[in-house]
Amino acid sequence: MVGKSDVETGEAYARDSYDGQERQSLLPSTSGAPVGSPTKKFGVLHLALAFLAGVIACAVAHLFACPGCFVHGRTNYSNSTTDNRVKVFAPPYVGSTQVHNYPPSSPTNANPTLFPSDVGYPGGTPTGAEPNVIETAPAYPIHTGAAQLVVPNTLGDTDKEKSASGDFNLFQKWGNLSPWYSVGRGAFGLDSDPTVPETCRVTGLHFLHRHGARYPTQWASYGGPASLAARLNEAAAEWNASGSLDFLNDWTYKLGEELLTPFGRQQMYDLGISMRLKYGFLLENFTESNTIPVFRTESQDRMLHSALNFAIGFFGYPLDGKYQQSITIESDGVNNTLSPYKTCSNANVREKGDRGVWYVKRWAEIYLVEALARLQPYIKGYELSIEDVYVMQQMCAYETVAIGYSKFCELFTEEEWEGFNYALDLSFWYGSGFGCPLARVQGYGWVKEFLARLTNTPITEHNSSTNSTLDDDPITFPLNQSLYVDATHEVVVLNIITALNLTNFATSGPLPYTHIPTNRSFEVSKLAPFGTNIQFQLLECTSVPGPQLRIIINDGVTPLTGIKGCPEQRDGMCPVDTFVKAQKELLLETDWEYDCFGNWTVPEGDAWNTTIGSPPKP
């Protein structure tokens, strides 16, 4: 039939032959002739009998379908037990993994020759001046995080009436799973922002960033979304959900593994554009020297595609001839400062490299007790554990950054989200930051490369995670650039922050597992979220002698007073010579062989602690 509208929109079918037949059968004829051929007329008695028969038939059908419904007296439906109802369990596909494989492997209509990426006739292409927002704008652009993601209107109450308060931002309560955002002026203790201080100008930038939002990793020491999905799927024939968990009755697991999500790709693209607007003028130095920049990433899929999406944002498509992308290998036994754990054996010893799990488990047993009690009545036939409830919080974050929204987010109160955020602080303080005995040594190699770039001096000794093949080649590791960009993981970012001795982030440590400290100095959502980035800003000023350096983490200027000789300066500046000297002394205090391969031990939990990221010395 032709000309019908979409029935899912609720519109009627358009006029066609079928519609015409209905009108011919039901409407009076304009000629006055009878339509159709009615041969028999029905009276009131016939209609009454037909109506009575229909009522009896409905009653009989209802009796067979619901024998418990016809009882004497008033039924209290709100308190009726499942014994009086038909038990309906979750369908067998609940919790199963749902995969949409795009693009198809061999699309039948693919014809690249008919769809070239360049057909000529580009029109006018004169370029303009490079942007310089960091120096020329009256205010610094603020990144709010995730405009495309949807936050729930209500949080955690069984009556679903309490709305999230206006000053509560759920996206900032997911620790390392938060989308990066501008932390705000004064977030790290300095009343300053990234705009260039008066009398100063930017001469260079070393930029370090994490990859964008991703699917869950293959392995999790505690929790892990895929594990909960598997458990629910295996027990689907035994449970059913209601109330706030009713959505589980037809829920499937829609997350992939490790790859960038569409939102993660956008994060990197936007970050590239943002940095071009702020620091594009540094490219003039390359034009003058007839060279192009070398940016670094490593071979993991999400790392490579984070770097490429950043580059497309920064340079625009196509990339050919605009920069060179160094792709280092992330694999066991291959030296790589962007994944140092691959050559540091002790990092693979759980008691040394994954100490945060002990704390997370104990904290979860405290902050999720009420959530477990609240949610358990809504799932019959499946006994939730504290770890299951913790995974539901993980699921909220992962689903949101992967598919835009998650019903799991609605299940928890603001207080419980604060608890989840702190759980991830515990995980990374003890697993990658100042409370981890391997943090400093794993940041050691990158700091060594950083100093080589700052001083235009080749690395003379490769006694850490540095790669002599790449770092000794001025083509793959140039030392005379005004712009460097490295992409890495959040654990490495925290390793580097620890190795640099930014002790202002360690003042509230060690972190307890019994409660959330007030005004804690170490928050992973501010230091290592998805897309986290650090600007190492190089400056020349007329008000202070010599080149200066500032460190800006997610648009928050951090003081450098933990670094020997660096002054208490209102804009966080430290003379480069002073900074380099102090860092070289710190490197001498770090022993790669002992820390990464030594037979030292630390007891589990809070029986031993560090706030400098180093193991006990012999």
Side-chain angles (χ1 to χ4, degrees):
M1 295 177 288
V2 181
K4 293 181 180 178
S5 60
D6 186 354
V7 293
E8 290 190 348
T9 66
E11 298 175 2
Y13 284 103
R15 298 179 182 178
D16 57 13
S17 57
Y18 175 82
D19 185 43
Q21 290 173 3
E22 284 203 324
R23 292 178 65 84
Q24 289 173 11
S25 301
L26 301 175
L27 298 180
S29 170
T30 56
S31 64
V35 178
S37 304
T39 59
K40 187 174 181 179
K41 295 184 179 179
F42 295 92
V44 175
L45 180 60
H46 294 90
L47 293 175
L49 290 173
F51 177 77
L52 180 60
V55 170
I56 294 172
C58 288
V60 172
H62 198 181
L63 178 63
F64 280 102
C66 185
C69 297
F70 293 90
V71 294
H72 294 290
R74 180 176 297 177
T75 301
N76 186 344
Y77 289 100
S78 62
N79 296 321
S80 60
T81 65
T82 54
D83 294 337
N84 292 328
R85 301 179 184 177
V86 176
K87 292 184 178 180
V88 179
F89 297 109
Y93 63 78
V94 165
S96 63
T97 300
Q98 187 175 358
V99 177
H100 297 149
N101 289 314
Y102 185 86
S105 57
S106 300
T108 57
N109 65 333
N111 194 328
T113 59
L114 293 180
F115 298 93
S117 59
D118 189 348
V119 297
Y121 306 96
T125 59
T127 188
E130 285 292 342
N132 185 2
V133 165
I134 200 72
E135 292 183 340
T136 60
Y140 187 82
I142 301 301
H143 183 72
T144 55
Q148 290 72 25
L149 306 182
V150 180
V151 67
N153 292 324
T154 56
L155 291 174
D157 294 273
T158 54
D159 58 10
K160 305 296 285 182
E161 291 180 354
K162 179 185 176 184
S163 295
S165 60
D167 60 350
F168 180 85
N169 190 324
L170 177 62
F171 296 154
Q172 296 176 11
K173 306 302 178 183
W174 295 342
N176 67 311
L177 306 181
S178 290
W180 92 271
Y181 62 97
S182 296
V183 296
R185 190 184 186 99
F188 302 138
L190 285 180
D191 185 22
S192 182
D193 65 29
T195 54
V196 177
E198 292 183 6
T199 80
C200 300
R201 68 181 185 90
V202 173
T203 60
L205 176 72
H206 297 247
F207 190 65
L208 177 71
H209 71 88
R210 184 193 179 191
H211 57 75
R214 56 160 171 78
Y215 292 124
T217 53
Q218 182 180 29
W219 178 83
S221 53
Y222 182 72
S227 62
L228 175 61
R231 290 192 292 273
L232 291 175
N233 179 250
E234 290 170 1
E238 303 170 4
W239 63 266
N240 70 331
S242 61
S244 60
L245 294 181
D246 181 68
F247 71 94
L248 287 178
N249 289 319
D250 59 1
W251 173 79
T252 56
Y253 186 69
K254 300 175 180 65
L255 303 177
E257 188 176 286
E258 312 247 357
L259 301 177
L260 277 184
T261 67
F263 172 69
R265 295 197 300 270
Q266 184 200 19
Q267 281 187 296
M268 294 294 97
Y269 177 74
D270 288 349
L271 185 60
I273 292 175
S274 171
M275 298 313 294
R276 181 64 176 264
L277 288 172
K278 296 181 179 76
Y279 294 101
F281 68 96
L282 292 174
L283 294 176
E284 297 174 28
N285 299 324
F286 293 92
T287 302
E288 292 174 1
S289 62
N290 197 27
T291 59
I292 54 177
V294 174
F295 293 177
R296 298 194 306 169
T297 187
E298 38 102 325
S299 58
Q300 269 198 347
D301 189 278
R302 66 179 180 272
M303 293 304 313
L304 174 57
H305 289 96
S306 287
L308 294 177
N309 278 283
F310 176 91
I312 291 172
F314 191 88
F315 293 108
Y317 179 84
L319 295 172
D320 295 344
K322 297 176 181 176
Y323 89 123
Q324 298 182 105
Q325 183 69 65
S326 174
I327 307 171
T328 59
I329 304 301
E330 176 167 348
S331 183
D332 291 342
V334 179
N335 275 29
N336 190 337
T337 61
L338 303 177
S339 53
Y341 39 81
K342 291 295 185 179
T343 48
C344 182
S345 295
N346 281 337
N348 299 309
V349 178
R350 186 184 63 81
E351 294 80 6
K352 300 176 181 181
D354 197 19
R355 298 187 71 243
V357 176
W358 188 90
Y359 293 85
V360 173
K361 287 181 177 179
R362 282 156 179 77
W363 171 238
E365 293 285 347
I366 295 172
Y367 87 90
L368 285 176
V369 169
E370 291 184 8
L372 176 61
R374 184 175 67 249
L375 294 175
Q376 183 61 75
Y378 295 120
I379 183 166
K380 304 295 185 182
Y382 181 94
E383 184 176 355
L384 291 170
S385 66
I386 288 289
E387 186 172 4
D388 288 334
V389 179
Y390 178 79
V391 175
M392 288 180 179
Q393 291 190 294
Q394 289 182 310
M395 200 79 75
C396 159
Y398 277 120
E399 283 194 340
T400 300
V401 300
I403 57 178
Y405 184 75
S406 174
K407 289 286 290 183
F408 288 99
C409 297
E410 302 173 9
L411 302 178
F412 302 96
T413 65
E414 292 180 9
E415 183 179 3
E416 288 156 0
W417 283 119
E418 295 286 1
F420 179 69
N421 198 40
Y422 184 63
L424 291 166
D425 290 346
L426 290 170
S427 176
F428 283 92
W429 168 271
Y430 292 104
S432 305
F434 295 92
C436 171
L438 293 165
R440 182 177 294 276
V441 73
Q442 290 188 90
Y444 177 98
W446 190 90
V447 172
K448 203 165 191 178
E449 291 177 332
F450 181 43
L451 297 183
R453 289 165 159 178
L454 275 179
T455 60
N456 293 334
T457 305
I459 296 173
T460 57
E461 184 181 14
H462 294 281
N463 58 350
S464 63
S465 57
T466 57
N467 187 304
S468 60
T469 302
L470 296 174
D471 288 356
D472 289 348
D473 188 334
I475 302 299
T476 54
F477 191 74
L479 296 175
N480 57 348
Q481 294 187 341
S482 58
L483 176 64
Y484 298 92
V485 177
D486 287 351
T488 188
H489 302 273
E490 82 272 44
V491 293
V492 184
V493 170
L494 294 173
N495 293 162
I496 291 168
I497 287 173
T498 305
L500 290 170
N501 210 40
L502 302 183
T503 55
N504 55 295
F505 296 117
T507 55
S508 59
L511 299 182
Y513 67 84
T514 54
H515 65 281
I516 302 177
T518 57
N519 301 318
R520 65 189 185 278
S521 58
F522 184 88
E523 291 187 62
V524 175
S525 63
K526 294 179 178 178
L527 296 176
F530 283 133
T532 194
N533 55 90
I534 305 180
Q535 303 173 41
F536 295 88
Q537 202 178 65
L538 300 179
L539 304 160
E540 286 185 356
C541 310
T542 59
S543 56
V544 290
Q548 303 288 312
L549 179 141
R550 291 207 299 171
I551 298 179
I552 301 162
I553 303 175
N554 295 323
D555 294 341
V557 183
T558 181
L560 303 182
T561 49
I563 298 170
K564 184 179 178 180
C566 288
E568 291 188 14
Q569 207 274 340
R570 64 179 184 180
D571 291 308
M573 294 192 299
C574 179
V576 170
D577 289 346
T578 301
F579 178 88
V580 169
K581 181 181 178 181
Q583 293 301 325
K584 286 182 176 180
E585 291 180 6
L586 288 170
L587 291 180
L588 291 175
E589 297 172 5
T590 306
D591 187 337
W592 172 266
E593 285 297 321
Y594 174 78
D595 291 4
C596 281
F597 303 99
N599 192 27
W600 51 269
T601 60
V602 291
E604 188 178 44
D606 57 0
W608 176 88
N609 269 304
T610 178
T611 57
I612 61 171
S614 294
K617 301 300 182 182

